[in-house]
């Protein structure tokens, strides 16, 4: 390790396109932001620039492809192309962001919200709800290996969604936020912050999409192999006493995207957060999810569905921390692997000393649909209290040969059989969602993955 | 091992006799294993490690030049490799490699009959609680006293079958045509820092060759002891079962308590050729200051079977992940592991299953018990590479936590490529059922006795797989560990 001799080259490669000049240019776009926000951004840039890129020997990056994690050749602050049309499979959209800029504010949908419910942009929150934002924005520790990328997110974030559900208010319709990236070599930093106050109830949906992949024109030649997009998203979910929050994130970035999604969930007394992440897009996608169960009665349900095909790599890292007695967490991550796809699931349940009566579950199921696919599972436990119920399981296999034979013997093609088997395999997770329309929207999104 | 504060009088490492306290309840001699002897070492390589240490060891053992080269190269690898603390516990940093004696020998030739065994060594066996009538049985035992086999006599019957059962020095000197082919091939020197260390300074251990078709009726045994303060023991074992052969090998360890850390770093290589079966059984109970960093791996060829049965009690830190490379079609690998971690102890154990041929199957069953502030860790690896068909792995890990702040961790890593294989992994963590304890207390058992019974019940289905005398020993060790853990 010769830290001193090669420091200049290391610093260069470790910041990629996000040079000090690029950062200065970004800061200049936020002249009216409060001082604390700019200070935080400066500190975040410092830490981003000084932290090294992940190394092969980092346990938090075990089995991940390190060489393809590049921050070079992307463009910060690309403009918003005119004449965009964005379809949302989840119904009316409350907020739409394209290339980090809000383009449509969904006034009509927001007018239907119960009084007091705030669905707005981070820039509006900076002006009008500064203290609430300051308390919750990226406030939780990064424990899953992406400290550097989280810092980059904070340094370069331009806008995002800010949602506050006041005490006792229930929002029936889902609040849909679309985060889109348009153009080649674009870098986007989507962010959604949700504060569900005491005894409130809401469903929030994040839909991540590259506009190129939606437009019919883009179904022609695939982008040049050098083309690279970066999507570095994060979300903060906070469920106060007795709140019920359902959060769904559907990721459908283009296949040249390097994607990060950094989730932090804080669950307070008797609150319940159900989150479901659907992963379909990107070239390489890393998802980090941290659930902190901070008070008795807290419950976090963590669900994920991934359809991996081509040469995609999906890298999922989760951490369930039980910090108080009588808390519950339940994780179920299912991956369907086709072609030469790779998946990594690394989960850890941590039960702090004295967090007695913890009930924690963690399960990773991999459906192998190709002889070239690769599934890696690292289901972990760290338990420091004895009166707990903690179990985990991981399986990787093809479907029961008899079921497959049944389908094939009725003349169903391999591709159609794969699709049927995948839906059968995913049903257990989809069933956990209460909302039937949501269930259908997710099904139709998953279907698109099989129609290519 | 109980923490020193629980003993009436801490044992003096240099006295021949210690106070024997009978446990009024279970009739267990709690100081068993807590003793040491004044032994005059004829050959002593001193403390610390450098090229001269290696040359000294090699010359004392009258080794061939290739072996000296092998050792010197290994020393370089050892010095070059960093401690694996990016995934392993930082406690490894507390090993002071300069304070360790890397070679000790009484300079005796391995003895042939019991009568020739020196009295002080016999005394060691006596204190181990080996009954008079078993002494004859011991005559068929490779009993390791410090780094040399002080006593070695292969049973006549086994010899007649053509089995070679010698220590590492003798194996490499007298039978290089058999052992050199596999020596250091299953676990290469550079596999990890501690296998490199062992390759540089190894002495003692067993080299066994079982000819084709020979089924060794009785388990071959070796007792290992560490008997000098600051003295690391680096035994090297290589077992080759030729085509269709079967052998069971057992090692058992108890060690005296010492005030400063002791390092034990063994390398065990197994080769099961076509259709062969090897079972390797370990029951160990190291003193609470021992670092036990062991590399164990076997290669199973076509239709062969390797089974590791591993029981870890005691030590300050044990890191041991017995592995099987399933190299031939239909090879089978199994690891049965029991670990008990008491106060100040960390049992970091597990298994590695590397599938390298079609239709290979592996099974891992691990049960751990954490008592007091003890920490038990399961670390596993299952690897099924590309284009293999019909490979199966099953892994089960159960952890039992006895006290409020006992700790357990599970870190498995499973890689599967392709759609024609299947793996499943399950783990659970629980505490002793309160109703069960209540029931037993109702019937007049103390809470401690009830707890002991419950823990023995927890591991019973695994303990039954041990040979009779080992499962009895295991039960006694667990009773010992559980005393004072509750109430």
């Amino acid at each position: 390790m010769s830290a001193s001799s090669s420091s200049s080259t290391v610093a260069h490669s470790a910041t990629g396109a996000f040079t000090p000049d690029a950062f200065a240019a970004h800061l200049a776009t936020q002249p009216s932001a409060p001082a604390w926000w700019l200070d935080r951004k400066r500190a975040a840039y410092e830490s981003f620039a000084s932290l090294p890129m992940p190394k092969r020997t980092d346990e938090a990056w075990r089995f991940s492809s390190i060489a393809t994690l590049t921050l070079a050749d992307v463009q910060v602050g690309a403009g918003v192309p005119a004449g965009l049309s964005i379809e949302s499979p989840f119904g009316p959209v409350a907020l739409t962001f394209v290339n980090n800029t809000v383009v449509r504010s969904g006034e009509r949908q927001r007018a239907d919200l119960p009084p007091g419910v705030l669905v707005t942009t981070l820039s509006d929150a900076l002006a009008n709800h500064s203290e609430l934002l300051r308390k919750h924005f990226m406030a939780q520790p990064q424990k899953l290996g992406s400290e550097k990328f989280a810092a980059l997110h904070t340094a370069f974030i331009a806008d995002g969604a800010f949602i506050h559900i006041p005490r006792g208010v229930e929002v029936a319709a889902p609040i849909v936020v679309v985060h889109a990236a348009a153009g080649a070599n674009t870098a986007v930093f989507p962010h959604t912050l949700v504060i569900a106050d005491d005894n409130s109830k809401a469903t929030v949906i994040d839909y991540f999409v590259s506009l190129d992949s939606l437009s019919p024109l883009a179904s022609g030649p695939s982008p040049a192999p050098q083309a690279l997009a970066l999507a570095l998203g994060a979300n903060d979910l906070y469920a106060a006493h007795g709140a019920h929050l359902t959060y769904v994130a559907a990721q459908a970035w283009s296949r040249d995207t390097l994607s990060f999604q950094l989730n932090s969930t804080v669950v307070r007394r008797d609150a319940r957060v159900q989150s479901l992440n659907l992963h379909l897009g990107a070239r390489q996608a890393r998802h980090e999810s941290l659930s902190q169960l901070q008070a008795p009665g807290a419950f976090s349900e963590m669900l994920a569905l991934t359809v991996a095909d081509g040469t995609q790599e999906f890298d999922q890292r989760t951490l369930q921390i039980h910090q108080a007695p009588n808390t519950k967490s339940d994780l179920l991550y299912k991956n369907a692997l086709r072609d030469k796809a790779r998946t990594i699931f690394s989960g850890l349940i941590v039960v702090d000393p004295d967090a007695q009566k913890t009930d924690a579950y963690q399960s990773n199921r991999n459906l192998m649909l190709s002889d070239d696919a690769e599934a890696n599972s690292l289901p972990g436990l760290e338990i420091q209290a004895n009166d707990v119920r903690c179990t985990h399981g991981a399986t990787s296999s093809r479907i029961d040969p008899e079921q497959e034979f049944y389908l094939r013997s009725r003349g169903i093609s391999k591709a159609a059989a794969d699709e049927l088997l995948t839906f059968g395999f995913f049903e257990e997770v989809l069933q956990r969602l209460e909302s039937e329309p949501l269930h259908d929207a997710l099904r139709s999104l998953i279907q698109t993955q099989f129609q290519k | 091992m109980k923490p020193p504060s629980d003993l009436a009088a801490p044992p003096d490492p240099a006295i021949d006799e210690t106070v024997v306290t009978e446990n009024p309840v279970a009739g267990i001699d709690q100081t068993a294993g807590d003793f040491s002897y004044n032994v005059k070492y004829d050959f002593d390589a001193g403390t610390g490690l450098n090229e001269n240490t290696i040359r000294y060891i090699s010359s004392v053992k009258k080794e061939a030049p290739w072996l000296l080269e092998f050792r010197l190269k290994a020393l370089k690898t050892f010095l070059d490799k960093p401690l694996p603390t990016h995934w392993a516990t930082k406690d490894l940093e507390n090993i002071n490699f300069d304070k360790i004696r890397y070679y000790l020998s009484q300079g005796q030739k391995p003895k042939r009959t019991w009568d020739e065994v020196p009295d002080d060594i016999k005394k060691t066996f006596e204190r181990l609680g080996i009954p008079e009538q078993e002494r004859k049985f011991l005559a068929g035992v490779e009993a390791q006293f410090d780094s040399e086999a002080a006593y070695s006599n292969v049973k006549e019957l086994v010899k007649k079958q053509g089995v070679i059962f010698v220590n590492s020095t003798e194996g490499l000197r007298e039978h290089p045509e058999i052992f050199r082919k596999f020596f250091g091939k299953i676990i290469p020197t550079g596999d990890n820092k501690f296998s490199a260390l062992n390759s540089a300074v190894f002495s003692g251990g067993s080299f066994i060759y079982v000819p084709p078709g020979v089924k060794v009726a009785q388990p071959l045994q070796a007792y290992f002891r560490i008997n000098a303060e600051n003295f690391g023991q680096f035994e090297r074992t290589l077992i080759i079962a030729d085509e269709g052969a079967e052998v069971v090998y057992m090692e058992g360890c108890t060690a005296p308590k010492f005030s400063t850390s002791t390092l034990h770093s063994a390398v065990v290589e197994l080769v099961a050729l076509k259709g062969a079966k090897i079972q390797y059984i370990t029951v160990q109970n190291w003193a609470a200051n021992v670092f036990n960093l062991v590399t164990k791996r076997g290669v199973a060829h076509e239709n062969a079977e390797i089974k590791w049965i591993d029981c870890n009690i005691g030590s300050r830190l044990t890191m041991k992940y017995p592995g099987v490379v399933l190299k031939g079609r239909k090879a089978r690998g199994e690891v049965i592991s029991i670990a008990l971690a008491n106060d100040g102890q960390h049992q970091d154990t597990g298994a590695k299953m590397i599938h390298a041929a079609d239709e290979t199957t592996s099974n891992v069953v691990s049960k751990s018990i954490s008592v007091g502030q003890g920490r038990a860790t399961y670390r596993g690896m299952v690897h099924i590479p590309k284009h293999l068909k019909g490979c199966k792995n099953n892994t089960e890990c159960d952890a039992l936590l006895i006290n409020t702040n006992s700790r357990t961790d599970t870190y498995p890593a499973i890689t599967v490529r392709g759609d024609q294989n299947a793996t499943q992994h399950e783990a659970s963590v629980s505490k002793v059922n309160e109703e069960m304890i209540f029931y037993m207390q109702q019937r007049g058992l103390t809470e401690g006795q009830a707890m002991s019974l419950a823990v023995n019940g927890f591991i019973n289905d695994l303990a039954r797989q041990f040979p009779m005398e080992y499962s009895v020993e295991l039960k006694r060790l667990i009773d010992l560990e559980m005393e004072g853990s509750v109430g």
Side-chain angles (χ1 to χ4, degrees):
Chain A
M1 303 289 152
S2 53
S4 56
S5 63
S6 60
S7 64
S8 61
T9 52
V10 165
H12 175 70
S13 63
T15 56
F18 304 97
T19 57
D21 288 348
F23 180 62
H26 166 72
L27 275 192
T29 65
Q30 304 216 325
S32 55
W36 70 265
W37 176 257
L38 298 175
D39 286 348
R40 244 196 231 190
K41 277 179 160 286
R42 284 191 200 96
Y45 186 78
E46 283 294 302
S47 108
F48 158 71
S50 63
L51 285 166
M53 286 294 272
K55 290 185 296 290
R56 197 182 53 81
T57 49
D58 289 349
E59 269 300 290
W61 293 84
R62 192 166 171 197
F63 295 121
S64 307
S65 301
I66 299 296
T68 44
L69 293 173
T70 167
L71 299 175
D73 304 324
V74 289
Q75 198 189 345
V76 194
V80 182
L84 293 167
S85 100
I86 304 163
E87 304 281 332
S88 147
F90 298 100
V93 178
L95 284 168
T96 303
F97 299 89
V98 178
N99 292 355
N100 312 310
T101 310
V102 69
V103 293
R104 202 169 21 166
S105 43
E107 280 87 0
R108 199 155 53 87
Q109 209 227 357
R110 278 150 61 193
D112 294 339
L113 291 169
V117 175
L118 262 177
V119 177
T120 185
T121 59
L122 287 179
S123 19
D124 175 46
L126 273 174
N128 302 308
H129 312 280
S130 183
E131 274 317 298
L132 209 50
L133 181 63
R134 188 177 185 170
K135 189 175 160 203
H136 292 287
F137 179 81
M138 298 292 279
Q140 302 305 321
Q142 294 296 326
K143 288 173 172 277
L144 286 157
S146 282
E147 291 82 355
K148 183 181 178 73
F149 303 111
L152 177 60
H153 175 87
T154 302
F156 278 89
I157 186 170
D159 212 342
F162 180 88
I163 297 167
H164 179 241
I165 318 293
R167 182 183 287 252
V169 173
E170 294 195 8
V171 184
I175 298 165
V176 181
V177 181
V178 173
H179 304 271
N185 299 63
T186 312
V188 291
F189 301 91
H191 196 103
T192 294
L193 189 154
V194 184
I195 303 157
D197 228 326
D198 296 359
N199 299 314
S200 65
K201 191 174 176 183
T203 298
V204 174
I205 298 171
D206 266 340
Y207 178 46
F208 304 98
V209 66
S210 300
L211 292 179
D212 306 356
S213 67
L214 267 189
S215 119
L217 289 172
S219 59
S222 55
Q226 289 86 0
L228 174 80
L230 174 70
L232 212 178
N235 65 68
D236 301 299
L237 309 179
Y238 184 89
H241 293 190
H244 274 213
L245 178 62
T246 302
Y247 173 79
V248 174
Q251 187 268 96
W253 298 122
S254 68
R255 292 301 175 98
D256 54 5
T257 305
L258 170 64
S259 161
F260 295 86
Q261 280 171 278
L262 311 174
N263 156 257
S264 152
T265 302
V266 173
V267 196
R268 304 290 301 169
R269 181 180 285 268
D270 297 327
R272 181 198 160 125
V273 175
Q274 181 187 49
S275 62
L276 189 152
N277 285 277
L278 174 66
H279 302 287
L280 301 172
R283 163 178 62 90
Q284 180 174 359
R286 170 129 172 153
H287 179 233
E288 295 186 3
S289 186
L290 164 69
S291 268
Q292 297 179 84
L293 299 138
Q294 294 190 334
F299 175 32
S300 178
E301 186 177 11
M302 303 158 79
L303 307 169
L305 295 173
T306 305
V307 183
D309 60 25
T311 55
Q312 284 183 306
E313 175 176 308
F314 289 96
D315 183 5
Q316 298 166 309
R317 312 270 163 170
T318 67
L319 180 53
Q320 297 149 263
I321 311 184
H322 292 260
Q323 294 162 334
N326 284 298
T327 53
K328 188 177 169 184
S329 67
D330 183 357
L331 179 147
L332 178 57
Y333 274 39
K334 287 197 167 189
N335 301 322
L337 293 93
R338 307 166 73 203
D339 307 332
K340 292 184 171 171
R342 292 183 82 223
T343 62
I344 300 134
F345 167 79
S346 171
L348 186 62
I349 295 174
V350 172
V351 177
D352 282 355
D354 302 322
Q356 302 292 359
K357 305 279 179 199
T358 284
D359 183 352
Y361 187 71
Q362 177 203 64
S363 175
N364 169 228
R365 309 269 176 236
N366 299 309
L367 176 64
M368 310 298 289
L369 294 168
S370 145
D371 203 24
D372 294 309
E374 175 187 316
N376 299 282
S377 285
L378 298 134
L381 303 173
E382 283 180 5
I383 314 290
Q384 295 192 68
N386 72 329
D387 191 5
V388 300
R389 208 175 70 109
C390 289
T391 48
H392 72 184
T395 58
S396 298
S397 64
R398 195 171 166 81
I399 209 75
D400 181 356
E402 279 190 29
Q403 288 184 27
E404 200 186 346
F405 178 76
Y406 179 89
L407 291 171
R408 299 301 297 273
S409 68
R410 269 141 191 85
I412 293 166
S413 70
K414 160 104 169 69
D418 279 0
E419 186 179 338
L420 280 169
L421 291 173
T422 303
F423 275 107
F425 176 66
F426 281 176
E427 198 54 30
E428 181 192 355
V429 174
L430 290 170
Q431 287 294 348
R432 302 244 195 134
L433 289 173
E434 270 179 37
S435 157
E436 199 58 40
L438 193 49
H439 189 147
D440 293 342
L442 290 169
R443 280 184 75 98
S444 70
L445 264 180
I446 295 166
Q447 225 138 24
T448 59
Q449 193 84 345
F450 287 92
Q451 281 157 5
K452 268 173 244 164
Chain B
M1 283 289 130
K2 300 191 62 67
S5 58
D6 289 2
L7 291 167
D12 180 341
I15 56 166
D16 282 10
E17 295 293 326
T18 47
V19 188
V20 178
T21 30
E22 287 293 323
N23 183 295
V25 183
I28 292 163
D29 170 12
Q30 294 204 19
T31 58
D34 278 354
F35 60 94
S36 181
Y37 293 86
N38 288 317
V39 177
K40 282 188 220 83
Y41 296 103
D42 296 354
F43 294 98
D44 179 350
T47 61
L49 184 58
N50 53 46
E51 266 197 31
N52 292 334
T53 328
I54 306 294
R55 287 181 195 283
Y56 176 82
I57 294 171
S58 197
S59 73
V60 167
K61 291 176 162 293
K62 301 181 182 70
E63 287 176 347
W66 72 268
L67 199 49
L68 175 62
E69 278 310 302
F70 176 88
R71 287 179 183 275
L72 289 171
K73 242 176 104 183
L75 174 68
K76 199 176 169 305
T77 310
F78 166 70
L79 295 172
D80 286 349
K81 274 192 176 287
L83 286 168
T85 43
H86 63 284
W87 59 269
T89 168
K90 296 255 184 296
D91 196 21
L92 287 175
E93 285 162 8
N94 294 316
I95 302 171
N96 189 341
F97 291 100
D98 294 333
K99 276 201 171 164
I100 288 165
R101 283 170 203 267
Y102 289 88
Y103 183 71
L104 278 177
S105 168
Q106 291 172 292
Q108 302 155 311
K109 281 201 164 173
K111 293 291 187 285
R112 286 284 150 207
T113 66
W114 181 251
D115 288 343
E116 288 176 60
V117 174
D119 286 348
D120 54 347
I121 295 173
K122 282 181 182 168
K123 226 175 199 168
T124 303
F125 288 128
E126 251 168 76
R127 294 303 307 269
L128 271 168
I130 295 155
E132 198 78 33
Q133 60 268 33
E134 278 189 22
R135 301 262 174 90
K136 273 187 191 149
F137 185 64
L138 264 178
V141 159
E142 177 86 343
Q144 176 154 346
F145 189 86
D146 291 344
S147 48
E148 279 305 323
Y151 186 93
S152 169
N153 187 7
V154 180
K155 279 197 157 195
E156 284 306 307
L157 184 71
V158 176
K159 206 196 245 164
K160 270 184 208 148
Q161 288 181 304
V163 174
I164 301 170
F165 183 9
V166 292
N167 66 34
S168 56
T169 309
E170 217 179 312
L172 290 169
R173 203 167 49 204
E174 314 291 333
H175 308 278
E177 75 289 353
I178 293 171
F179 293 114
R180 201 178 158 180
K181 188 175 160 197
F182 292 107
F183 170 75
K185 297 296 191 303
I186 318 302
I187 300 170
T189 299
D191 186 79
N192 63 72
K193 189 172 175 76
F194 296 96
S195 67
L197 176 62
N198 177 284
S199 300
V201 299
F202 72 90
S203 57
S206 306
F207 273 42
I208 299 171
Y209 170 76
V210 186
V214 171
K215 296 180 172 45
V216 183
Q218 249 173 332
L220 303 176
Q221 297 198 6
Y223 280 79
F224 294 98
R225 297 186 59 79
I226 293 178
N227 203 319
E229 192 163 358
N230 274 333
F231 167 44
Q233 190 158 352
F234 305 93
E235 77 265 8
R236 183 98 192 184
T237 291
L238 172 59
I239 301 176
I240 303 165
D242 214 323
E243 292 188 8
E246 287 178 22
V247 64
V248 176
Y249 184 81
M250 301 200 282
E251 58 169 349
C253 316
T254 57
K257 278 186 175 166
F258 291 122
S259 53
T260 53
S261 294
T262 305
L263 176 62
H264 175 253
S265 188
V267 165
V268 179
E269 296 173 294
L270 308 183
V271 182
L273 295 174
K274 193 173 169 184
K277 275 188 189 175
I278 302 177
Q279 221 182 92
Y280 193 104
I281 302 167
T282 308
V283 175
Q284 66 159 39
N285 179 25
W286 296 114
N289 56 359
V290 171
F291 283 92
N292 181 37
L293 312 167
V294 176
T295 313
K296 286 181 167 175
R297 193 173 305 151
V299 169
H301 290 259
E302 191 175 333
N303 264 312
E305 184 181 303
I306 289 180
K307 184 171 181 174
W308 298 98
I309 299 182
D310 210 65
C311 176
N312 299 293
I313 295 176
S315 85
R316 168 173 171 172
L317 171 67
T318 289
M319 289 174 68
K320 184 179 354 169
Y321 323 101
V324 184
V325 179
L326 301 147
K327 201 178 174 186
R329 209 174 136 259
K330 294 200 169 180
R332 294 177 300 279
E334 191 164 357
V335 172
I336 305 287
S337 167
I338 298 173
L340 192 147
N342 214 325
D343 282 325
Q345 299 177 350
H346 185 179
Q347 303 285 2
D348 196 330
T349 59
K352 277 186 183 182
M353 290 295 176
I354 312 297
H355 292 251
D358 288 344
E359 294 172 74
T360 48
T361 54
S362 59
N363 187 33
V364 178
V365 184
S366 157
K367 296 211 178 196
S368 71
I369 303 136
S370 309
V371 186
Q373 301 278 324
R375 176 176 176 191
T377 301
Y378 172 83
R379 220 180 277 277
M381 183 162 128
V382 174
H383 191 79
I384 303 183
K386 231 169 165 168
H387 302 311
L388 293 184
K389 291 180 189 67
C391 300
K392 286 196 176 109
N393 164 264
N394 176 58
T395 305
E396 290 167 44
C397 313
D398 294 321
L400 191 66
L401 299 172
I402 302 298
N403 300 95
T404 314
N405 286 325
S406 306
R407 171 163 186 183
T408 185
D409 317 303
T410 311
Y411 306 109
I414 306 148
T415 299
V416 182
R417 295 197 180 99
D419 60 348
Q420 304 188 48
N421 308 300
T423 61
Q424 59 178 35
H425 171 101
E426 268 179 52
S428 74
V429 176
S430 57
K431 67 168 198 164
V432 173
N433 186 324
E434 271 166 16
E435 280 180 27
M436 202 153 75
I437 300 295
F438 179 74
Y439 177 91
M440 287 189 272
Q441 282 184 277
Q442 284 255 303
R443 269 140 193 85
L445 271 69
T446 66
E447 194 185 356
Q449 287 170 322
M451 203 60 116
S452 234
L453 261 180
V455 169
N456 272 301
F458 173 70
I459 58 149
N460 192 40
D461 54 331
L462 297 190
R464 273 198 319 226
Q465 300 199 35
F466 286 75
M468 181 63 169
E469 63 270 33
Y470 272 58
S471 70
V472 168
E473 191 178 331
L474 186 59
K475 192 187 167 301
R476 280 194 191 158
L477 285 172
I478 285 172
D479 285 342
L480 256 174
E481 292 294 319
M482 294 307 297
E483 272 161 31
S485 67
V486 288

